């Protein structure tokens, strides 16, 4: 089943850009995902069983950093990119 996920990542530090760019670089490294970004969020498209383990791993990596990070996600049960 294809899904679409909209993610907004909010590092609670003044120098937030590097945390966001690092997260995006890691997501883009997965060939099974399509990752599209804009100024407010990132959209990820792929198969449910592939997307969620990747998001779980990469969001956990954000949470393991010393700074506090807020993640807001919306999940749609259809790949809207197709």
């Amino acid at each position: 089943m294809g899904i679409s996920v909209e993610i907004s990542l909010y590092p609670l530090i003044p120098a937030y850009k590097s945390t966001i760019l690092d997260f995006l670089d890691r997501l883009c490294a997965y060939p099974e995902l399509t990752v599209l970004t804009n100024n407010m969020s990132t959209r990820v498209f792929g198969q449910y069983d592939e997307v969620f383990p990747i998001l779980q791993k990469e969001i956990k990596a954000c949470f393991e950093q010393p700074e506090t990070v807020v993640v807001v996600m919306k999940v749609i049960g259809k790949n809207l990119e197709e």
Side-chain angles (χ1 to χ4, degrees):
M1 165 186 8
I3 64 168
S4 304
V5 182
E6 184 179 68
I7 304 169
S8 296
L9 184 76
Y10 302 104
L12 301 181
I13 56 172
Y16 59 88
K17 287 183 183 180
S18 63
T19 302
I20 294 170
L21 293 175
D22 183 50
F23 177 70
L24 293 175
D25 286 343
R26 292 195 319 266
L27 287 182
C28 289
Y30 293 94
E32 56 269 54
L33 301 181
T34 300
V35 180
L36 302 175
T37 62
N38 61 42
N39 291 337
M40 296 296 294
S41 65
T42 297
R43 291 173 292 150
V44 177
F45 306 96
Q47 292 299 306
Y48 181 95
D49 291 334
E50 295 174 340
V51 171
F52 270 101
I54 292 168
L55 291 180
Q56 180 180 1
K57 176 183 176 185
E58 298 306 339
I59 291 170
K60 182 177 181 181
C62 289
F63 290 161
E64 290 174 334
Q65 298 301 311
E67 66 266 6
T68 301
V69 176
V70 176
V71 177
V72 177
M73 292 190 338
K74 297 178 204 171
V75 181
I76 301 169
K78 182 176 182 177
N79 186 334
L80 297 178
E81 185 207 26
E82 296 177 340

